[in-house]
Amino acid sequence: MLNFTLLAAFVPTFLFVSFTPGMCMTLAMTLGITLGVKRTLWMMFGELIGVGLIAAAAVLGVAALLLAEPWVFTAFRWLGGAYLVWLGIQMWRSKGKMAIPTDVLAAGPAISRRALFSQGFVTAIANPKGWAFFMVLLPPFIDRSLAMAPQLSLLIALILLIELSALLAYAVGGSTLNRLLQKSSNVRLLNRIAGSLMLAVGIWLALG
C-alpha cells in the first residue's frame, strides 16, 4: 500500500529539485555539447545508478554511517574532481578524446562507454550534497505505518525517471548549442565553453 497524499507532494518537489541546475546537469549539458545526446546516455546510466544507490542508502541509514567517515568522501571528491578538471583543461585546449576536433580527419578514438558510465557514477556518488539532500528530503515522504519496500521502490523509480528527464533536457540543450555554433570558426569556442563547464564541475565536486 502507498500513501498517495505524500506521493502527490513528492513528484512536484523532486521535479523542481532535479531540473534545478547542478553538478550532474552541468555535466550532461557539457557532454551534450561535445559528444551528443546518444553517447551522453552512457554517462546518464552511471549517474542514475549512483543516484538510486544514494536514495536507498539515505532511507536505510547507510548514508549516516558513511558520512561518519568524512575522509572517504574527501578522497573520492578530490580524485573525481581532479579528473574532471584535467578533462576540462584538455577540452579548453581542443585536445583529448572529449573535445570536438577542429579537423574531422584528425579525430582520435572516442571516449569509451565504460569511461562515460564511470564518470556519471563517480560524479553522483562523490557529491556530498546529494547524500545530504536525500538524507534530509527523502525520509519525510516515507510513511512509517506502511511497508517500506514498495514505497521505497516506487519513490526510487520516480526519482530515476525524473532525473533522467532532467539529464536528457540538459543534454539536448547542449546538443542544440553545438548545432547552432558548429562551424569551423566556432569549434574552438564550443570546446572552450564545454571545457569551462567541465572545469566548473570538477572544482565544484572537489570543493563542494
Side-chain angles (χ1 to χ4, degrees), residues 18-46:
S18 290
F19 277 87
T20 299
M23 188 184 300
C24 293
M25 298 306 137
T26 304
L27 182 60
M29 184 170 66
T30 302
L31 297 183
I33 291 173
T34 57
L35 303 180
V37 177
K38 186 175 180 180
R39 288 195 62 78
T40 303
L41 286 172
W42 289 99
M43 182 282 292
M44 296 182 195
F45 295 152

Side-chain angles (χ1 to χ4, degrees), residues 67-208:
L67 289 175
E69 300 293 341
W71 67 269
V72 176
F73 277 111
T74 300
F76 211 18
R77 279 165 39 205
W78 276 96
L79 288 173
Y83 175 65
L84 293 180
V85 166
W86 179 78
L87 285 178
I89 293 172
Q90 292 287 94
M91 293 164 69
W92 210 89
R93 298 172 61 195
S94 295
K95 295 182 178 181
K97 296 179 181 179
M98 292 183 61
I100 303 169
T102 53
D103 180 356
V104 176
L105 296 177
I111 186 169
S112 70
R113 295 172 177 177
R114 179 180 296 180
L116 289 168
F117 180 92
S118 300
Q119 192 173 17
F121 182 79
V122 168
T123 302
I125 292 292
N127 181 8
K129 291 181 179 178
W131 287 89
F133 166 76
F134 280 112
M135 286 181 69
V136 172
L137 192 57
L138 187 54
F141 291 102
I142 300 290
D143 189 334
R144 302 296 177 178
S145 66
L146 301 176
M148 173 73 73
Q151 292 185 86
L152 185 57
S153 298
L154 178 59
L155 291 180
I156 290 178
L158 287 172
I159 288 170
L160 296 183
L161 181 60
I162 292 170
E163 187 78 0
L164 176 59
S165 300
L167 289 168
L168 283 171
Y170 276 82
V172 169
S175 180
T176 301
L177 178 62
N178 183 311
R179 289 195 297 272
L180 291 174
L181 297 178
Q182 184 65 283
K183 300 176 182 178
S184 59
S185 60
N186 289 324
V187 170
R188 189 173 298 276
L189 173 61
L190 271 176
N191 280 328
R192 289 186 174 181
I193 292 173
S196 297
L197 290 171
M198 187 70 77
L199 279 167
V201 173
I203 294 171
W204 189 355
L205 182 59
L207 303 179

